[in-house]
Amino acid sequence: GTPVQEALYRAATLLVAASPCAVVISVPAAILSALSAAARGGVLFKGGAALETLAEVRAYAFDKTGTLTTGRAEVTAIAAADEEHLLALLAGIEAQSEHPIADAVRRAAAARGISPVPVWGEETTPSEGITGTDAEGPIWAGNRRMAARMGAALEAPGLAALDEGAETVVYLGRADRLIGALSVADAARPTSAAGLDALRGAGVAEIALMTGDRRPVAMRIGLAMGLRPAEIHAELLPADKVALVAALAEKGRVAFVGDGVNDAAALARADVGIAMGAAGSEVALQAADVAFLSEDMTRLAAA
Ligand code: ADP
Ligand code: MG
C-alpha cells in the first residue's frame, strides 16, 4: 500500500546502503560499454562526458570540404596563359599543405609529369589561402579574399568560365599580378544525405552547413543533400563559424563536425566537437571531443 514515489525512494536507499560499490560502478561500466560499442562503429569518444552531452544535442553544424564531401578533389579546369607553369608553381606552394585542394593540385601536376617549383616559407591563412616565396620572390594562392588582399585584378584567359561555375576556384599570383587560376571539384560523400536524414529522424531539429568555400559550391552540395538555402552558410572565416555555432548554442546543445584547421575553433566552441579522423587535420583532432573514423555518415546518428 506504499505510494510508488515513496516505495522507489526506499528501494533506492536500500540499494545504495547495501551495495554502494555496485551502484557506483554501474555508471562507468555502462559508459565504458557504450564507448567501446561506439568505437566499433568508428566513433571514438575522448571521454564519457562527450558521450552524455551528445545525447542531448539537437543541433548539428557541418563543415563542407572534407566533411560532407570526400575531400578527394580533382582539378577540373585551368585558366592561364601557361598551364604547365601554373601547375608547377601551385604544386610548389601547396607542397606541404594538408588542405584537400593542395592534394588535388599535387596529383594533377604529377599526372602531367610536372615537377613542383621549389617554394619556401609557406604560411597558411585558414579559409583564405597560402603564401610563400620562390626564386623570383613572394607568391600566393587562394580564393577571392586572398586575391583582393593582394590587390590582384581577376583577369586571365578562360577565367570567366571558372568564376561562373559551381566549383572551387583557386587563384595564383605574384603580388598584384594574377598568374592564373584553376577549378577544383569535390564530390559529396555517398552517405552524407542519408546521414543527415538519419539525424533528423533521430530528433535533431537544426542542421546547418558552414563552409569557407564560395556560395555556388556550398549551394550545389547543400541543396543536393536536402538542406534549405537558409541552412547553408558560405564564405565564412574561422571566426564566423564560431559565431554561427554560438548562435545555435543559445537554443540548446550543439555539435560541430569538421576536418580542417579552419574548423578547430568551431570544434572547440561546440558542446561536442566531432573531427573527421581518417583524413582530417591534426589540429582538428586535437580540438575535438570525438574522432569520427567511419566513412559512413549514418554512424553519426547511431552514435
Ligand atoms: P571548408 O570550410 O568547406 O572546409 P576551407 O575553409 O578549408 O573550406 O576553404 C575555404 C576556401 O579557402 C577554399 O575554398 C579555398 O578557396 C581557400 N583555401 C584554403 N586553404 C587553401 C590552400 N591551402 N590553397 C588554396 N586555397 C585555399
Ligand atoms: Mg573542411
Side-chain angles (χ1 to χ4, degrees):
T2 316
V4 170
Q5 204 81 34
E6 170 78 12
L8 278 176
Y9 189 74
R10 281 197 200 172
T13 306
L14 179 74
L15 271 178
V16 172
S19 54
C21 300
V23 172
V24 168
I25 203 71
S26 67
V27 174
I31 291 202
L32 274 179
S33 80
L35 291 183
S36 61
R40 278 195 295 277
V43 185
L44 289 187
F45 286 89
K46 291 193 189 170
L51 180 89
E52 291 183 89
T53 312
L54 190 62
E56 293 166 18
V57 164
R58 292 294 172 269
Y60 271 78
F62 286 87
D63 165 54
K64 178 184 69 67
T65 320
T67 301
L68 289 177
T69 67
T70 59
R72 281 184 291 275
E74 299 289 338
V75 172
T76 50
I78 300 181
D82 181 348
E83 296 194 359
E84 302 222 330
H85 182 56
L86 178 85
L87 269 178
L89 276 176
L90 255 183
I93 196 169
E94 301 278 11
Q96 312 293 334
S97 170
E98 51 185 12
H99 199 277
I101 288 175
D103 192 44
V105 167
R106 289 191 296 257
R107 276 187 283 113
R112 295 191 185 196
I114 299 169
S115 19
V117 168
V119 176
W120 54 91
E122 295 95 326
E123 263 183 58
T124 305
T125 311
S127 300
E128 200 174 289
I130 188 165
T131 57
T133 305
D134 73 352
E136 280 180 53
I139 56 171
W140 55 268
N143 55 18
R144 277 175 171 269
R145 210 189 289 265
M146 171 70 89
R149 195 150 65 80
M150 297 294 169
L154 298 182
E155 280 159 24
L159 188 57
L162 300 199
D163 282 338
E164 281 159 21
E167 292 172 355
T168 307
V169 182
V170 183
Y171 304 91
L172 175 86
R174 207 178 273 291
D176 63 359
R177 190 167 63 81
L178 185 75
I179 295 171
L182 54 73
S183 62
V184 170
D186 179 10
R189 281 179 201 276
T191 55
S192 285
L196 298 190
D197 283 349
L199 282 175
R200 286 197 210 275
V204 170
E206 300 231 24
I207 295 183
L209 186 159
M210 301 180 183
T211 179
D213 206 347
R214 300 165 60 213
R215 184 142 199 96
V217 191
M219 292 297 266
R220 174 170 61 82
I221 298 287
L223 294 178
M225 285 173 190
L227 292 176
R228 284 177 284 114
E231 295 171 322
I232 301 171
H233 309 272
E235 287 159 36
L236 304 175
L237 292 174
D240 302 329
K241 294 194 182 190
V242 174
L244 284 171
V245 168
L248 280 178
E250 280 175 13
K251 291 180 253 172
R253 303 276 195 179
V254 47
F256 186 92
V257 193
D259 73 313
V261 175
N262 64 325
D263 299 320
L267 286 165
R269 173 63 185 82
D271 294 297
V272 183
I274 303 174
M276 304 301 290
S281 65
E282 193 70 29
V283 61
L285 276 173
Q286 293 283 340
D289 307 292
V290 180
F292 187 73
L293 299 177
S294 174
E295 288 287 308
D296 178 0
M297 297 297 277
T298 63
R299 300 300 315 170
L300 264 185

